[in-house]
Amino acid sequence: MSTANIYKIMDDPNSLDIDVERVRRDFPMLSQRVHGVPLVYLDNAASTHKPTLVIDAIRRVYEQDYSNIHRGVHELSQRLTMQYEEAREKIRVFLNARSRAEIVFTYGTTDSINLVAQTFGRANIGKGDEILISEMEHHSNIVPWQLLCEQTGATLKVIPFNDQGNLAMSDVEALLSERTKLVALVHVSNALGTINPIGPIIKLAHDAGAKVLVDGAQAVAHMKTDVQKSDVDFYAFSGHKVFGPTGIGVLYGKEDLLEAMPPWRGGGDMIRTVTFEKTTYADLPYKFEAGTPNIAGGIGLGAAIDYVHDIGLKHINHYENSLLAYMTRQLLNVEWLKIIGNAPCKSGAISFMIEGVHHNDLGQYIDHLGVAIRTGHHCAQPVMQHYGVTGTARASLAFYNNTQDIDRFIEALEKAKKFLL
Ligand code: PMP
């Protein structure tokens, strides 16, 4: 189905519903059978599937327009450069950034965070300074800061969360000081599903004189992100979690901050002039984009954003919230199962455990019933340590999931319990 058609169906102001059956037909992966039964895909927090529109956009790059970008004078290079830069513009609009100079293409969230650590961090954070993160961060928003602390002598401080899976504003306030140079916080926790109140935390951090980086990996596919409204300094996300390709991601940064930051990777495309005595650097955002980029990835991500835009994040958010409520109710009915993380504001993912059943055994068993979920520590070992467990099972949603998926998942859990306990 073309996105124009979806747009007509979805943009009815009287309806915030999504025609899931039509949407599902746009995702070829979803119609397959796994172990002889129709696939139920509930591992969207790990990665999302791709609509035909995205697959076609990537195919077109290699079949019709392929060449290297930015430096060629010939038709193909110019054509593809235009498409790549159009994708950047789509991302600017998606995040409501002021300018395309603020949109840096990276390899993903991890790469974006490392970029900030090694450029902004190296230039602005030193011995005696503090970096504040939370206890619910993904490893990719922990390890880059630990490396930076080792390199600079700065100290890493951690905002705890309570057993419900919430941060307390009083803890944020208590941990912020004039020594805090940066707060790095996840928008939506991949392990707990908690939505953090980034607006008020950014305000508190700014009042204390700190800059803020938000890890938006689990947020952008589910809710509207507005970097101007939240006043965030840096925002990172990955293409593959928002229906785009792997190997492409985005770092948003306020222009004045990016301007003042030194480059990180050196090479082609990020320079203005090179002599053996001195190199001068390209304008933003190219200063941070050394080497041939993931061209098809960027264009594919632009197509994914078109797709999300045509359905509408308002519709997606509304639909997913009701689906999450349905899944939560169904899981709460299962008395032998425990949900890990019960924050009142959650998005997309539910972590859970069955007493006496190892999460990996559970995951493998229900995989044979066609149900794909994630098991393990979810790259958030401190979250597991908080609850004194080595891992959990996690079911995570996208707007192409429906209540039948959840019913099949619950049935599979019932069977697993009979077999494994
Ligand atoms: N942060 C969060 C909250 C995540 O869920 C993930 C991916 N699981 C990442 C960061 C890292 O994303 P990527 O591997 O695409 O760089």
Side-chain angles (χ1 to χ4, degrees):
M1 175 170 48
S2 80
T3 53
N5 285 339
I6 294 175
Y7 192 67
K8 280 201 195 81
I9 300 160
M10 303 305 171
D11 209 35
D12 174 5
N14 298 317
S15 157
L16 282 174
D17 290 334
I18 285 185
D19 185 346
V20 187
E21 287 323 302
R22 297 194 69 170
V23 165
R24 284 174 80 86
R25 290 201 285 276
D26 289 337
F27 291 81
M29 280 288 299
L30 295 178
S31 58
Q32 68 180 281
R33 297 172 87 83
V34 170
H35 303 299
V37 280
L39 170 69
V40 171
Y41 187 77
L42 294 174
D43 193 18
N44 295 288
S47 204
T48 53
H49 287 300
K50 321 302 169 200
T52 307
L53 185 92
V54 169
I55 299 166
D56 286 349
I58 297 167
R59 180 194 299 275
R60 257 197 320 276
V61 168
Y62 291 117
E63 279 184 358
Q64 293 176 22
D65 301 317
Y66 187 70
S67 169
N68 210 331
I69 56 168
H70 288 152
R71 35 202 144 180
V73 292
H74 58 77
E75 160 71 17
L76 293 184
S77 178
Q78 298 207 351
R79 215 193 273 165
L80 209 60
T81 300
M82 209 167 75
Q83 290 177 34
Y84 192 70
E85 293 305 323
E86 275 170 10
R88 196 188 304 273
E89 171 62 13
K90 289 173 189 174
I91 295 159
R92 183 197 71 74
V93 173
F94 184 63
L95 296 179
N96 193 28
R98 284 169 205 83
S99 125
R100 282 196 298 121
E102 298 179 316
I103 305 297
V104 180
F105 277 121
T106 64
Y107 300 119
T109 309
T110 306
D111 193 42
S112 300
I113 296 172
N114 277 280
L115 191 163
V116 176
Q118 291 302 314
T119 58
F120 175 85
R122 288 275 200 138
N124 296 287
I125 300 175
K127 198 167 169 50
D129 290 337
E130 291 176 359
I131 299 162
L132 191 55
I133 62 172
S134 87
E135 193 187 359
M136 67 173 84
E137 298 308 315
H138 186 280
H139 297 163
S140 63
N141 204 22
I142 301 174
V143 185
W145 307 115
Q146 287 175 325
L147 290 170
L148 181 68
C149 287
E150 278 168 21
Q151 290 156 353
T152 61
T155 305
L156 193 64
K157 295 249 167 151
V158 181
I159 311 160
F161 64 81
N162 64 19
D163 287 349
Q164 250 198 332
N166 274 329
L167 301 177
M169 293 304 275
S170 53
D171 286 331
V172 180
E173 260 175 293
L175 284 159
L176 279 167
S177 77
E178 73 281 358
R179 287 187 297 279
T180 317
K181 290 288 176 294
L182 185 85
V183 177
L185 182 70
V186 71
H187 195 168
V188 175
S189 157
N190 66 313
L192 299 169
T194 307
I195 306 173
N196 283 318
I198 59 161
I201 294 177
I202 291 167
K203 170 100 184 48
L204 279 180
H206 284 170
D207 289 349
K211 302 295 181 208
V212 182
L213 174 142
V214 170
D215 167 357
Q218 295 296 341
V220 290
H222 306 286
M223 60 196 69
K224 173 73 190 150
T225 302
D226 186 328
V227 292
Q228 290 192 60
K229 200 164 151 200
S230 68
D231 201 24
V232 69
D233 300 293
F234 301 105
Y235 197 91
F237 75 90
S238 302
H240 70 98
K241 292 187 200 277
V242 58
F243 316 104
T246 51
I248 188 81
V250 171
L251 172 69
Y252 158 81
K254 282 183 183 160
E255 192 166 348
D256 57 332
L257 293 175
L258 292 179
E259 200 65 73
M261 281 154 51
W264 180 26
R265 298 191 176 103
D269 245 23
M270 52 77 73
I271 55 90
R272 188 188 301 276
T273 59
V274 177
T275 66
F276 288 118
E277 289 71 40
K278 185 168 173 54
T279 290
T280 58
Y281 303 116
D283 290 337
L284 291 175
Y286 309 108
K287 182 172 87 173
F288 294 109
E289 296 182 354
T292 300
N294 182 351
I295 307 166
I299 292 167
L301 176 56
I305 284 175
D306 279 343
Y307 188 85
V308 167
H309 175 81
D310 285 351
I311 294 177
L313 269 167
K314 199 166 73 168
H315 298 96
I316 290 174
N317 189 254
H318 183 268
Y319 173 75
E320 283 185 3
N321 283 346
S322 59
L323 204 58
L324 184 68
Y326 180 79
M327 184 158 79
T328 307
R329 275 198 309 277
Q330 299 303 99
L331 287 172
L332 285 172
N333 282 339
V334 183
E335 73 279 359
W336 36 265
L337 178 150
K338 185 171 163 214
I339 294 179
I340 307 287
N342 294 293
C345 283
K346 280 175 74 165
S347 166
I350 300 185
S351 261
F352 62 95
M353 301 180 58
I354 299 174
E355 180 94 28
V357 176
H358 193 278
H359 45 269
N360 284 346
D361 294 340
L362 176 70
Q364 277 176 8
Y365 187 87
I366 71 170
D367 173 56
H368 279 86
L369 302 171
V371 181
I373 60 164
R374 188 67 149 204
T375 61
H377 54 61
H378 315 296
C379 295
Q381 286 185 7
V383 174
M384 303 300 124
Q385 285 149 17
H386 179 105
Y387 292 102
V389 298
T390 55
T392 67
R394 179 190 70 192
S396 54
L397 301 169
F399 62 82
Y400 45 59
N401 290 121
N402 55 22
T403 52
Q404 289 97 293
D405 285 342
I406 293 166
D407 295 343
R408 285 259 321 273
F409 163 53
I410 301 286
E411 271 170 38
L413 291 179
E414 302 270 1
K415 286 187 186 155
K417 190 218 170 205
K418 280 196 192 111
F419 185 81
L420 295 171
L421 257 185

